[in-house]
Amino acid sequence: MANFIDVGFLVAALAACVAVIFGMVGPVKGGGMALSSTFAWHPILMSVAFPCLMMLGRWAYVSDEIGDKETQRSVHRGLMMLATFIGIAGYVMIFMAHLPLKTFFGYNFSTKKWAVPTRVAHDWLGYAILLMTLAQSAMGLYKLMSAREGRSIFKFHGTMGKVVMVLSAVNICLACIFWGWSPGYKIFVALLTVSVTAFGTFTQLRKAPENTPIMEGSKA
């Protein structure tokens, strides 16, 4: 049963990013963007980073099939670091796309006009998510080094990670509102993203090792 759930979650996580990718470059309303477009790569990379890799990184702690605690930590760390790097690349793409237009934080510095409220919220929330993701990566690495010395620090790391994942799903839903997809496709992407995020963030199949010391008798 657990193996079936693992496979189902993997398929759903991949489907969440494939849905966004197809919506950007596929023959659908609001799509058809060229892969040479830096703008197109922003949602592509962000969908790979957050509803896919980051969810799978979290799932490494609740799956029964990955192995012992150290193996789970290694898989979790690798997927989360990869998600962070791809997320950074996604930000670079949108920065390069907006640089000629001088549009940042939802504000056009050339025309001195704000974008629609949902786009402004998407931009500001995106910056907050990126900063929290960078902080999580740094804390995760330092937490690992400290755990190997028998110390447990940043006990909020797991909770903060869940906050990042939930906020990333909210931000994708915001993007669905203002993007040019059909209403049906917007709902499809939003529901798929929210479902994967909720299941991956809050499901516990067994006691997760994220707060378990690497060394027995570790002290806080």
Side-chain angles (χ1 to χ4, degrees):
M1 180 63 179
N3 190 35
F4 174 78
I5 294 175
D6 287 343
V7 173
F9 184 76
L10 172 62
V11 171
L14 291 173
C17 72
V18 169
V20 174
I21 295 171
F22 183 78
M24 298 306 300
V25 302
V28 296
K29 182 181 179 182
M33 298 187 73
L35 289 175
S36 58
S37 167
T38 54
F39 185 96
W41 279 102
H42 169 69
I44 289 174
L45 293 174
M46 289 305 193
S47 65
V48 171
F50 289 93
C52 185
L53 290 177
M54 198 167 283
M55 288 297 106
L56 294 176
R58 169 60 184 160
W59 195 255
Y61 276 159
V62 298
S63 172
D64 289 317
E65 304 298 322
I66 291 180
D68 59 17
K69 295 174 184 177
E70 189 58 32
T71 301
Q72 286 181 310
R73 285 191 177 98
S74 297
V75 173
H76 170 80
R77 182 170 62 252
L79 288 171
M80 289 303 195
M81 291 304 297
L82 182 59
T84 299
F85 288 132
I86 292 177
I88 293 172
Y91 169 72
V92 171
M93 291 297 102
I94 199 63
F95 178 85
M96 296 302 296
H98 284 169
L99 185 59
L101 304 174
K102 297 180 180 179
T103 303
F104 305 101
F105 306 103
Y107 183 77
N108 189 312
F109 287 86
S110 296
T111 63
K112 302 190 184 321
K113 292 182 179 180
W114 288 96
V116 294
T118 49
R119 187 181 287 271
V120 174
H122 175 80
D123 286 5
W124 282 89
L125 184 56
Y127 276 104
I129 293 168
L130 184 61
L131 289 174
M132 284 190 287
T133 300
L134 294 174
Q136 276 289 93
S137 296
M139 285 189 290
L141 292 175
Y142 189 53
K143 184 178 177 70
L144 175 65
M145 292 186 291
S146 298
R148 285 174 174 168
E149 297 172 356
R151 296 182 295 119
S152 179
I153 61 173
F154 300 136
K155 293 185 178 181
F156 59 87
H157 179 73
T159 300
M160 184 172 171
K162 293 175 184 177
V163 171
V164 170
M165 288 182 276
V166 169
L167 289 179
S168 69
V170 171
N171 219 24
I172 290 174
C173 290
L174 286 173
C176 287
I177 293 173
F178 64 74
W179 197 245
W181 292 328
S182 67
Y185 202 82
K186 291 181 179 184
I187 293 172
F188 170 68
V189 172
L191 284 179
L192 186 56
T193 300
V194 170
S195 298
V196 169
T197 301
F199 197 68
T201 301
F202 301 111
T203 298
Q204 295 287 341
L205 298 185
R206 64 177 177 177
K207 185 178 179 181
E210 56 192 355
N211 292 318
T212 304
I214 291 178
M215 299 174 60
E216 293 296 331
S218 294
K219 298 180 180 180

